[in-house]
Amino acid sequence: MKTPPLASLRLQPLRRRAMAKSIVIALDGPAASGKGTLAQLIADHYGFAYLDTGSLYRGVAYLLLREGEDPKDRLAAERAARDFSLDKIAGADIRSREVGAAASVVAAQPAVRDALLDFQRGFANRPPGEKKGAVLDGRDIGTVVCPHASVKFFVIASPEIRARRRFLELKDAKPGLKEADVLADLMERDARDAGRTDAPMLQAKDAELLDTTHLTIEAAFAAARRVIDGVLRRCED
Ligand code: CDP
């Protein structure tokens, strides 16, 4: 059975069902480090459900901007997070620089994080589509959302490589885009994400550091698989 599209999931904790504990794979790291691509490949390979938790923060930010609200307005941001459901952003362009910047502003607000927490934990513990595991990527998955995850990665890459990757991703939709501006955005967002008080971006003590600066996506995926296969083997023993 295929995982239902994210857009069809609402932000209540997902339906409870009796099952063995799910296998949770957490990937955290700075913007554009390659964790999203890696997370999707891991989920496809092992047949696990995938949640891009950044899409929740981006979604809340997108809706605020669309309504002409200020992402720094704590009450408006909390309201938007509490009312949020993924179908509200179905088909919306949440990958833009503007939405990314606003996402990291709303993500620094504890009430917003709190509103989005149950859904993320529910997804991890009871993955949709009867999957036996879940892959979540974000900033605080290994530290706050799923501190007991079976496998944790902290995915990094040099700022220049990350800016290059994000520039290539965005440039077709934004012809005048400059790579230097993308780099500046990433640095500003990383500083805000790492410097906030609530759930800052942080490598969990038990997370594997995966530096993708000089790795192709295939090589990064192979390295991640070696770690995951080792853990899965130990679980089966
Ligand atoms: O794809 P990219 O790495 O650029 O960012 P993202 O994962 O889409 O996340 C967008 C923003 O959401 C981040 O800059 C964080 O501020 C926030 N975020 C967070 O605070 N916690 C998460 N678990 C995921 C994202």
Side-chain angles (χ1 to χ4, degrees), residues 28-33 35 52-55 57-58 95 100 103-105 107 113 120 137-141 145 166 186 189 193 196 199:
D28 292 304
S33 57
K35 59 193 184 311
D52 163 12
T53 66
S55 69
Y57 296 94
R58 284 178 181 269
R95 302 297 312 167
S104 98
V105 170
R113 306 199 72 81
Q120 297 175 74
D137 80 309
R139 302 291 184 289
D140 60 339
I141 307 303
V145 178
R166 184 52 49 91
L186 296 186
R189 197 143 60 86
D193 292 347
R196 68 187 176 217

Side-chain angles (χ1 to χ4, degrees), residues 14-20 22 49 122-123 125-133:
L14 297 163
R15 184 171 54 87
R16 266 183 195 285
R17 75 184 133 84
M19 63 170 284
S22 71
F123 189 101
N125 296 332
R126 295 171 297 281
E130 307 290 317
K131 307 268 181 182
K132 64 179 191 304

Side-chain angles (χ1 to χ4, degrees), residues 4 67 86 99 134:
E67 299 307 316
L86 284 161
V99 171

Side-chain angles (χ1 to χ4, degrees), residues 6-7 9-12 50-64 77 80-82 84-87 89 94-95 99 102-104 106-107 112-113 115-121 123 136-138 140-141 145:
L6 270 184
L9 299 172
R10 303 193 71 84
L11 285 198
Q12 291 103 36
Y50 169 47
L51 181 64
D52 163 12
T53 66
S55 69
L56 309 179
Y57 296 94
R58 284 178 181 269
V60 170
Y62 170 86
L63 293 173
L64 284 168
R82 299 235 170 259
F84 185 70
S85 69
L86 284 161
D87 51 10
I89 54 158
I94 60 164
R95 302 297 312 167
V99 171
S104 98
V106 301
V112 169
R113 306 199 72 81
L116 301 175
L117 189 59
D118 276 359
F119 174 74
Q120 297 175 74
R121 288 202 174 135
F123 189 101
L136 286 82
D137 80 309
D140 60 339
I141 307 303
V145 178

Side-chain angles (χ1 to χ4, degrees), residues 70-115:
D70 180 353
K72 291 199 198 84
D73 179 335
R74 286 171 188 273
L75 283 179
E78 179 178 0
R79 201 179 319 117
R82 299 235 170 259
D83 292 347
F84 185 70
S85 69
L86 284 161
D87 51 10
K88 287 190 177 169
I89 54 158
D93 176 17
I94 60 164
R95 302 297 312 167
S96 70
R97 288 170 63 199
E98 295 72 19
V99 171
S104 98
V105 170
V106 301
Q109 300 168 30
V112 169
R113 306 199 72 81
D114 184 58

